[in-house]
Amino acid sequence: DAWIFLDLHDKVQAGHGEHSTEEYAVTIAATIATYLLRQDLSLGMIVNGQRREFLSLDRGDRQVERMLELLAVVTAGPGPDLKEALALDAMHFGRNTVAIVITPSNSRDWHEGVRHLQRRGVQVAVIGLNAASFENKPADEDTLTLLEGAGVPVLRIKSGESLTEALESGPMVRYAQRR
């Protein structure tokens, strides 16, 4: 089983329109969801944005349709922040489950939630969107290094970067190939 956890909390989003962390995150979630479902895996999705959205585990073409329909309408909003959302939804991630967290958050407060999932036997990977790059600002403090130190595969995405190239050559691909 695999879960995509899409962080659309409005306070961590940056940029505007198609050059925003919100748009990149949704595109990444759609790409990964379609890929995993085409591999005949069961996939669920949790989105914390304008509203908390929950799509139960399922597989096949119907699930691809449900995922894409959900991603077409989700928007950033004042829902729970990532730390709170991970705590609320940790029960859905069972042992030997894969959880992919997609977030532009550079806060450290949610890292403990990820490490807690790891301790429970969940295989966690993080796709970190560099929010500063979406607003032409200097890079934020790299809090994702802490997760890498804990053995969490992390893929960093900057504004303007080819998502296809980043997803096909990132550390998660190497991690998956080792498994």
Side-chain angles (χ1 to χ4, degrees), residues 46-104:
I46 300 168
V47 181
N48 68 318
Q50 182 64 33
R51 294 188 355 226
R52 179 184 175 275
E53 301 286 350
F54 180 87
L55 191 57
S56 298
L57 285 170
D58 203 354
R59 62 173 29 115
D61 291 337
R62 280 194 339 241
Q63 186 73 340
V64 172
E65 283 181 37
R66 284 191 288 268
M67 290 276 179
L68 296 177
E69 286 173 3
L70 172 64
L71 291 170
V73 298
V74 295
T75 57
D81 65 14
L82 185 53
K83 176 184 177 182
E84 184 181 343
L86 283 170
L88 287 170
D89 292 307
M91 66 185 168
H92 299 293
F93 307 123
R95 188 164 188 70
N96 297 321
T97 297
V98 173
I100 301 168
V101 178
I102 303 170
T103 183

Side-chain angles (χ1 to χ4, degrees), residues 117-131:
L117 290 173
Q118 268 188 315
R119 287 190 298 273
R120 289 187 36 226
V122 176
Q123 299 170 39
V124 184
V126 174
I127 298 176
L129 299 164
N130 182 331

Side-chain angles (χ1 to χ4, degrees), residues 29 35 58-59 66 88 116 120 126 128 133 143 158 162 172:
Y35 175 80
D58 203 354
R59 62 173 29 115
R66 284 191 288 268
L88 287 170
H116 174 73
R120 289 187 36 226
V126 174
S133 72
T143 64
K158 293 180 182 174
S162 165
M172 288 175 218

Side-chain angles (χ1 to χ4, degrees), residues 12-16 18-22 24 103-104 106 128-141 156-163:
V12 298
Q13 303 303 315
H16 300 284
E18 64 183 55
H19 298 290
S20 67
T21 54
E22 178 180 1
Y24 268 56
T103 183
N106 67 345
L129 299 164
N130 182 331
S133 72
F134 286 81
E135 296 184 338
N136 296 320
K137 294 181 178 176
D140 292 323
E141 179 185 352
R156 292 170 175 79
I157 304 284
K158 293 180 182 174
S159 177
E161 197 169 1
S162 165
L163 295 180

